[in-house]
């Protein structure tokens, strides 16, 4: 191969820059690109708010007086019990949007354009998940305001409240990596949306999010108690002070140590699915 040909090949396929600092910079650049795109398409954010607000209103007023919590059918107690589950459902359902966004980038050839740049391979996915985290944060803030309007209250102080929301956002960020892997594994954004929702419904409903798990059949109760979603919901209820008096706490380790279990589950999900997603991205861009 001549010197001119070697130079052309090197120019056509620049080597990615290494280093943690450079990778972080590349990730922030990609995150900025996605945030600008979200601001230019505000309906993405607006439609993302409609579903959780509907869940708050419907569950609060339709089921509020029908579900016993701590031996009481009080609608007020159920609203406080419910909100941690709605918050957790909201941050996890953002997974479908993350997967659809990445699938759309793949479909439009954006991944090929990123591949031609000398940037860290994992930065494309990290930037995308960080942008989704910002959008999820805005959604949770609006949802918290709606919850306060319908009667939800915090009883354990500001610091514990912030810790509860931090756990929620950590769970949402962890699940966004599952969405990234799904988005890289399908051919169209529509398939990514469907694939991102199919497994989320059993995950969120076989949990303690909407009803106490002690009333479930034995095998479902064990699944719910070891569900990472349930651990975060239980942790938030404790941190928000939303566990009613007399509420039975299961003997399962995640329910006895929900804060620690929530952190461990989220970190484990990030470690596994980030590795798989980056590997899938590299193979797709090879």
């Amino acid at each position: 191969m001549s010197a001119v040909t070697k130079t052309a090949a090197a120019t056509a396929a620049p080597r990615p820059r290494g280093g943690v600092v450079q990778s972080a910079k590349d990730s922030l650049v990609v995150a900025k690109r996605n945030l600008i795109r979200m601001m230019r398409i505000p309906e993405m954010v607006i439609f993302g708010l409609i579903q959780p607000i509907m869940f708050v209103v419907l569950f609060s007023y339709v089921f509020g007086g029908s579900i016993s919590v701590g031996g009481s059918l009080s609608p007020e107690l159920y609203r406080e019990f419910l909100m941690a589950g709605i918050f957790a459902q909201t941050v996890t359902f953002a997974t479908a949007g993350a997967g659809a966004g990445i699938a759309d980038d793949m479909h439009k050839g954006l991944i090929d354009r990123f591949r031609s740049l000398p940037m860290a391979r994992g930065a494309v996915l990290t930037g995308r998940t960080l942008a989704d985290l910002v959008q999820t944060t805005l959604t949770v803030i609006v949802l918290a305001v709606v919850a306060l309007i319908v009667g939800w209250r915090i009883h354990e102080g500001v610091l514990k409240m912030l810790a509860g929301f931090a756990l929620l956002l950590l769970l949402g960020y962890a699940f966004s990596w599952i969405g990234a892997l799904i988005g890289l594994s399908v051919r169209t954004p529509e398939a990514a949306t469907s694939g991102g929702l199919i497994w989320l419904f059993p995950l969120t409903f076989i949990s303690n999010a909407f009803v106490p798990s002690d009333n479930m059949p034995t095998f479902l109760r064990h699944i719910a108690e070891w569900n990472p979603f349930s651990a975060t919901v239980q942790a938030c209820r404790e941190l928000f002070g939303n566990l009613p008096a007399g509420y039975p706490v299961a003997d399962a380790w995640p329910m006895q140590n929900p804060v620690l279990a929530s952190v461990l589950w989220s970190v484990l999900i990030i470690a596994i699915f980030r590795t798989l997603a980056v590997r899938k991205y590299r193979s797709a861009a090879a």
Side-chain angles (χ1 to χ4, degrees):
M1 182 182 292
S2 65
V4 175
T5 305
K6 290 181 180 180
T7 302
T11 303
R15 297 181 62 185
R17 296 174 291 190
V20 175
V21 174
Q22 189 58 55
S23 179
K25 289 181 180 179
D26 292 341
S27 298
L28 292 176
V29 170
V30 177
K32 181 180 178 181
R33 173 257 175 193
N34 283 284
L35 289 173
I36 292 174
R37 179 172 177 268
M38 290 176 186
M39 288 188 292
R40 290 177 178 174
I41 313 176
E43 55 266 28
M44 292 174 59
V45 179
I46 294 173
F47 290 153
L49 288 170
I50 293 176
Q51 178 178 313
I53 291 175
M54 289 177 59
F55 268 100
V56 170
V57 175
L58 289 173
F59 273 86
S60 296
Y61 293 104
V62 175
F63 300 111
S66 305
I67 298 177
S68 174
V69 179
S72 172
L73 290 174
S74 167
E76 291 77 17
L77 282 179
Y78 182 69
R79 285 192 198 106
E80 294 202 347
F81 174 86
L82 170 71
M83 281 315 304
I86 295 292
F87 285 135
Q89 184 191 54
T90 299
V91 300
T92 53
F93 269 49
T95 300
I102 291 175
D104 187 51
D105 289 343
M106 292 281 290
H107 184 68
K108 292 179 178 177
L110 183 66
I111 299 301
D112 292 332
R113 292 196 288 272
F114 279 131
R115 183 180 59 176
S116 67
L117 299 175
M119 62 188 301
R121 293 302 187 208
V124 175
L125 301 180
T126 302
R128 174 74 205 198
T129 54
L130 288 175
D132 290 330
L133 179 62
V134 173
Q135 182 179 356
T136 301
T137 302
L138 295 176
T139 302
V140 169
I141 292 173
V142 174
L143 188 58
V145 173
V146 175
L148 290 171
I149 293 174
V150 301
W152 173 67
R153 294 294 182 268
I154 296 290
H155 303 288
E156 294 293 335
V158 175
L159 291 180
K160 286 190 176 182
M161 176 196 72
L162 294 176
F165 282 118
L167 289 178
L168 288 167
L169 294 177
L170 179 62
L171 180 72
Y173 183 69
F175 275 58
S176 69
W177 282 105
I178 302 178
L181 180 61
I182 293 173
L184 290 168
S185 303
V186 299
R187 297 182 179 181
T188 64
E190 293 80 8
T193 301
S194 299
L197 290 174
I198 288 174
W199 62 276
L200 280 173
F201 277 103
L203 182 82
T204 55
F205 282 95
I206 304 177
S207 71
N208 60 358
F210 307 111
V211 296
S213 60
D214 59 310
N215 292 328
M216 296 180 181
T218 303
F219 74 99
L220 284 181
R221 186 175 70 247
H222 291 318
I223 294 174
E225 291 168 355
W226 285 89
N227 186 342
F229 185 85
S230 294
T232 299
V233 171
Q234 186 76 3
C236 289
R237 285 181 181 140
E238 288 190 2
L239 292 170
F240 295 156
N242 291 156
L243 280 177
Y247 180 78
V249 178
D251 293 332
W253 185 84
M255 297 298 99
Q256 294 290 328
N257 306 274
V259 175
L260 178 58
S262 176
V263 173
L264 291 177
W265 272 121
S266 296
V267 170
L268 181 63
I269 292 170
I270 292 172
I272 293 174
F273 284 93
R274 186 185 189 280
T275 301
L276 294 175
V278 172
R279 184 178 300 172
K280 184 71 175 179
Y281 170 79
R282 286 174 176 169
S283 65

